[in-house]
Every structure is written in structure tokens, then in C-alpha cells.
Amino acid sequence: MTQEQWTRVDSYFDELFAPPDAALDAALKATSEAGMPLINVAPNQGKLLHLLARLVGARSVLEIGTLGGYSAIWLARALPPEGRLLTLEVNPAHADIARANIARAGLAEQVEVRLGSALITLPQLVEQGAGPFDLVFIDADKASTPDYLSWTLRLTKPGSLIIIDNVVRNGAVSDPDSANADVQGIRRALAMVAQEPRLDAAAFQTVGVKGYDGMAIALVTSA
Ligand code: SAH
Ligand code: DHB
Ligand code: MG
């Protein structure tokens, strides 16, 4: 099995289920032209996030890690007109590009890009009594994922869905002795998910245009 095959199959699936889209394509182009890393979710992963948001009937979505707003656009498009998405981003250049991309997608009214480290903005949200959010997508620096998960538990309610990106990283996640801080962050977060009585979860491996990785999905089952 090769990357070339995974990419070819993703292209095939995208033709069927995530065809070219002016706003999404422009968002990726602007992200690339700004010299930002193209580490956004793949089109079919964006479509999956979109469907999951619709499945839970999400009216409020929280995203941790905006980049150029690509996944935010997919998620915000799942919202009803009065629905809102808040996305947290530490890098001012990323936030600027994301705001432009989100405005071009016609979602400026529904989406707020909040600048600052999520390690600061998440406690502020709790302090302000924000939430509960119906869906939270955790996709920022991996080492801090356990912290993001802790705050997320205070910003969700029974029925909320928590999605964690990049839980496989080429298989490195299964190594308990990994010296990589990202891997250890993900492992700690997954252990928290497993031990948390308020959560029920699954994690799965994926291959595709982004290589070999995966996501975890946790349902908040009780308060
Ligand atoms: N969700 C995006 C990709 C996010 S990439 C998509 O799929 O389209 C990860 C982003 O997290 C980067 O833009 C990075 O700047 C941001 N980030 C890293 N550390 C952060 C922190 N402490 N707080 C908020 N955002 C952070
Ligand atoms: C990286 C981060 C991501 O969120 C992702 O989906 C892929 C790669 C990274 O930092 O390399
Ligand atoms: Mg990611």
C-alpha cells in the first residue's frame, strides 16, 4: 500500500462526495500563498466533520486550531442560520487569513476567529460561562491536547461530540516510550478520554492524502 494509492482513492472519493468548491478552494489557495503549512483536514475529512455536525444537530461549534479556516468552513456550513462557530488560533497571521477566507465563504456572521493561545482563551470561555458547545474539534498543538480536553469537558454537555485530530501520526501513538511530545500529548489525552466516566469514545486509523493518521471521537454521555 502506497501514498500514491491513498491519494488516488481520496481523489476519487472527493470527486464523488467533496467536489471542487469555490470558497474552500480559495481558502486553501490563500493559505498556501501566505506560506502557511497545508496541514488542514483533507476534503473528505472536512466532509466527515460537516456530516457529524449535522448528525448531532449542532448549533454551536468550538474549534481549537484554526489555521486558514478550512475545517471551520466545513463545520460552519453544517449550522442552521442562527448557529455559531468559535475557532481559537494563536498565530495572528493565521487568524487574519482565516477571517478573510471565512468572509469569502459568506460565513463572517456565524464564525468568530478568536486570537490567542487556547491555553488562555479556553479558561476565559469557562470564566465567561460560554457554551455548552454541541461539537468541539481539537486540532491545535498536539502536546497541549490533554489541557484542551480538560477545558472542553467544562464547555460541553450530554450529547456533545468531541473530535480529536491526528491521533495516529504514522503509528507512533502506540509507542508508550515515545520521546515525542506530540505523541505523549495525544496518548495522555486518549487515556483521559478512556478513564473519563462522562465520555464514551472510539479512535480509528485513516490513510489518504494526508498519509497515515487518525481521529478520535468521544460522545459526552452524562454531566
Ligand atoms: N483545523 C485546521 C488546521 C489547524 S492546524 C484545519 O483543519 O483547517 C493547527 C493550528 O493550531 C495552527 O494554525 C496553529 O497556529 C494553531 N495553534 C498552535 N498552538 C496553538 C495554541 N496554543 N492555541 C491556539 N492555536 C494554536
Ligand atoms: C500537523 C498538524 C495537524 O493538525 C495535522 O492535521 C497534520 C499535521 C503537524 O503539525 O504536522
Ligand atoms: Mg489536524
Side-chain angles (χ1 to χ4, degrees):
M1 233 58 78
T2 65
Q3 178 62 56
E4 194 189 331
Q5 277 176 299
W6 301 342
T7 300
R8 205 162 45 232
V9 172
D10 259 2
S11 299
Y12 167 62
F13 287 162
D14 291 346
E15 273 173 44
L16 294 169
F17 303 117
D21 176 283
L24 287 167
D25 297 347
L28 289 184
K29 186 162 178 282
T31 302
S32 170
E33 284 173 0
M36 291 155 59
L38 289 176
I39 53 175
N40 48 272
V41 295
N44 53 350
Q45 295 174 326
K47 182 67 177 285
L48 174 65
L49 294 176
H50 171 91
L51 289 173
L52 289 170
R54 283 169 56 187
L55 269 168
V56 299
R59 303 163 66 87
S60 62
V61 173
L62 175 65
E63 177 178 71
I64 307 169
T66 313
L67 192 67
Y70 183 78
S71 53
I73 293 171
W74 273 113
L75 284 164
R77 283 179 173 177
L79 295 169
E82 70 281 10
R84 292 292 178 263
L85 182 144
L86 175 63
T87 180
L88 310 179
E89 174 56 54
V90 72
N91 185 316
H94 293 188
D96 282 348
I97 296 288
R99 287 192 188 103
N101 288 337
I102 287 159
R104 197 191 294 106
L107 295 164
E109 295 281 292
Q110 286 178 281
V111 177
E112 181 193 342
V113 181
R114 191 165 297 180
L115 182 62
S117 171
L119 293 171
I120 306 290
T121 51
L122 284 167
Q124 286 172 350
L125 285 169
V126 169
E127 175 94 6
Q128 292 157 6
F133 294 92
D134 301 313
L135 187 152
V136 181
F137 181 45
I138 303 179
D139 191 24
D141 56 310
K142 310 309 164 188
S144 299
T145 304
D147 299 292
Y148 301 147
L149 179 65
S150 294
W151 292 110
T152 293
L153 283 167
R154 299 178 62 175
L155 291 164
T156 46
K157 53 151 183 43
S160 298
L161 207 55
I162 302 169
I163 305 167
I164 307 175
D165 196 20
N166 310 116
V167 302
V168 175
R169 301 312 275 272
N170 262 312
V173 72
S174 62
D175 177 9
D177 303 318
S178 173
N180 184 301
D182 293 353
V183 171
Q184 288 302 343
I186 293 293
R187 286 183 60 88
R188 275 210 295 136
L190 295 180
M192 283 169 62
V193 170
Q195 284 156 23
E196 173 55 59
R198 288 171 287 178
L199 295 177
D200 202 3
F204 50 89
Q205 309 177 66
T206 57
V207 294
V209 69
K210 290 189 71 180
Y212 170 35
D213 212 325
M215 290 192 192
I217 299 187
L219 179 68
V220 182
T221 55
S222 61

